[in-house]
Amino acid sequence: MQPASEANQRIARISAHLHPPNLQMEESAGLRRANCRAKGAAPGFKVAILGAAGGIGQPLALLMKINPLVSVLHLYDVVNTPGVTADISHMDTGAVVRGFLGQPQLEEALVGMDLVIIPAGVPRKPGMTRDDLFKINAGIVRTLCEGIAKSCPKAIVNLISNPVNSTVPIAAEVFKKAGTYDPKRLLGVTTLDVVRANTFVAEVLGLDPREVDVPVVGGHAGVTILPLLSQVKPPCSFTPPEIDYLTSRIQNGGTEVVEAKAGAGSATLSMAYASVKFADACLRGLRGDAGIVECAFVASQVTELPFFASKVRLGRTGAEEVLPLGPLNEYERAGLEKAKQELAESIQKGVSFIKK
Ligand SMILES: NC(=O)C1=CN([C@@H]2O[C@H](COP(=O)(O)OP(=O)(O)OC[C@H]3O[C@@H](n4cnc5c(N)ncnc54)[C@H](O)[C@@H]3O)[C@@H](O)[C@H]2O)C=CC1
Ligand SMILES: O=C([O-])CC(=O)C(=O)O
């Protein structure tokens, strides 16, 4: 048997690791948390959420806490992480949850992470475009990516903060500057466009949305969101009015939610769902599962643009293969030209923000 003092020291060490001092709760008399028999985290992936106390961050944290592939979940924000962390840490699922508050704790939040998900930043209000968020969100994304370059340069990054068409190029430039850029590991999250497309197409066809798969390529704003309705699975055909209706509804899905929320933000719940769907696919890829394909906004040679959203094959090192667009019909080719014009400007805006 170990001497009592040695065992107590070991427990104190583990407890300090599990509960950083700033987020430790008041402990009442009787059995203190320091005396619990915690053994630390089970095998699995370490995931950080930056912006974890926000509208997307909170349900995203909840869903990642349920994910059996996650062993450690770090919740970082500039406000309210102690409460969110205390709340989520009581869920009886496997992942160990730790909270981090404010810029001085950013690096600590990121050390050792396999996957970093970034929903930090301001959302739209009615009348705004995603590009109107650039002024505030560009700087937030730069700071967070500088932290990633320092503390977990090999992590896969899932970037949610808008405007995604510009924030992904910003992140790439930050990583290039730091000498850590690996295009396979930087993925802009466009899954919500696919989730919406599957839902709306299923409604029109009278199918179960879980049976429908619509590739959505291009980017994540207005006309850059390009659903490829000619490639829907299961194979089907649409009338011209159905194509116009579906394309417009998918491209304006975000605005539909912004207007319905009437000033209280943009999509959070469907986005948390979409983000977890994508993060889970990334983790299964990291684990070595074969045949995992999702749409994402990545560095690409599929068009002449340096970044483009399309189907990618996820594996142990991230987006291991960017798949070709496949055959497009005339309607989609016209949409692609429009998408590319707007995308080129948004990408350049992001690059210049760091290079200026
Ligand atoms: N890629 C996509 O499909 C989607 C992207 N979004 C975008 O996601 C972002 C977040 O949206 P919501 O969660 O609704 O906003 P929110 O305002 O509810 O939450 C954002 C959180 O970020 C935090 N934050 C701000 N500055 C930070 C910093 N420097 N470091 C860490 N955290 C910081 C805030 O404290 C807040 O808790 C927005 O930019 C929104 O446009 C939203 C929906 C879909
Ligand atoms: O529309 C917004 O501002 C949020 C977003 O990106 C989406 O819901 O697709």
Side-chain angles (χ1 to χ4, degrees):
M1 242 175 69
Q2 285 173 307
S5 62
E6 199 181 306
N8 284 344
Q9 275 173 16
R10 184 166 51 87
I11 288 168
R13 266 202 312 276
I14 293 167
S15 177
H17 187 55
L18 287 176
H19 309 287
N22 62 309
L23 294 183
Q24 274 180 348
M25 309 281 291
E26 288 294 319
E27 295 187 83
S28 53
L31 181 65
R32 298 177 63 234
R33 198 184 288 178
N35 294 332
C36 294
R37 302 176 203 178
K39 290 194 185 67
F45 293 106
K46 296 182 176 152
V47 178
I49 300 175
L50 312 183
I56 296 169
Q58 290 198 36
L60 170 58
L62 171 107
L63 294 169
M64 291 310 282
K65 173 76 168 100
I66 299 171
N67 190 311
L69 295 176
V70 180
S71 61
V72 171
L73 184 59
H74 281 190
L75 306 182
Y76 172 84
D77 203 303
V78 289
V79 292
N80 297 339
T81 36
V84 174
T85 305
D87 190 353
I88 286 190
S89 70
H90 289 186
M91 292 168 64
D92 60 352
T93 60
V96 171
V97 185
R98 301 180 188 128
F100 301 85
L101 183 63
Q103 175 97 23
Q105 297 192 351
L106 176 60
E107 286 181 25
E108 199 189 340
L110 289 169
V111 170
M113 292 300 110
D114 300 301
L115 173 68
V116 180
I117 311 174
I118 312 183
V122 290
R124 283 201 284 166
K125 288 192 183 335
M128 292 170 81
T129 66
R130 290 179 181 83
D131 186 57
D132 292 333
L133 306 173
F134 185 97
K135 265 197 189 120
I136 298 179
N137 290 354
I140 293 175
V141 168
R142 173 177 55 197
T143 305
L144 297 176
C145 289
E146 285 167 354
I148 292 169
K150 247 189 204 163
S151 300
C152 55
K154 297 262 182 247
I156 305 285
V157 177
N158 287 181
L159 191 40
I160 293 171
S161 317
N162 271 317
V164 167
N165 294 352
S166 302
T167 53
V168 169
I170 288 174
E173 291 302 317
V174 170
F175 295 149
K176 279 183 203 166
K177 238 183 171 172
T180 64
Y181 183 48
D182 176 354
K184 296 199 294 299
R185 295 179 194 271
L186 173 60
L187 303 108
V189 182
T190 60
T191 319
L192 184 53
D193 300 317
V194 174
V195 162
R196 285 179 178 139
N198 292 346
T199 305
F200 304 155
V201 164
E203 274 173 18
V204 165
L205 296 177
L207 294 174
D208 181 334
R210 289 168 297 185
E211 289 165 10
V212 177
D213 181 26
V214 186
V216 184
V217 303
H220 181 65
V223 296
T224 73
I225 299 170
L226 187 63
L228 300 182
L229 297 172
S230 66
Q231 297 181 23
V232 169
K233 284 186 193 149
C236 58
S237 62
F238 300 97
T239 64
E242 283 173 339
I243 291 175
D244 283 338
Y245 162 80
L246 282 168
T247 303
S248 165
R249 184 135 191 240
I250 294 162
Q251 290 181 333
N252 296 303
T255 306
E256 184 178 321
V257 178
V258 168
E259 282 170 2
K261 290 199 174 180
S266 56
T268 52
L269 304 173
S270 53
M271 183 55 214
Y273 164 79
S275 171
V276 164
K277 203 172 182 191
F278 187 66
D280 182 70
C282 288
L283 293 179
R284 284 182 285 120
L286 279 181
R287 182 173 67 177
D289 291 13
I292 299 173
V293 173
E294 294 286 337
C295 289
F297 186 66
V298 293
S300 167
Q301 293 173 348
V302 156
T303 70
E304 63 275 26
L305 297 172
F307 296 91
F308 199 80
S310 59
K311 283 186 178 179
V312 299
R313 188 177 52 74
L314 298 164
R316 287 190 195 278
T317 61
E320 295 188 336
E321 188 187 1
V322 180
L323 303 180
L325 293 184
L328 306 188
N329 62 26
E330 204 181 318
Y331 187 92
E332 291 161 351
R333 280 199 299 276
L336 177 62
E337 288 316 307
K338 265 199 214 158
K340 283 198 296 192
Q341 274 176 25
E342 185 174 320
L343 260 177
E345 285 175 26
S346 305
I347 292 169
Q348 190 48 46
K349 188 170 174 179
V351 171
S352 313
F353 179 73
I354 301 299
K355 281 199 168 158
K356 71 179 183 286

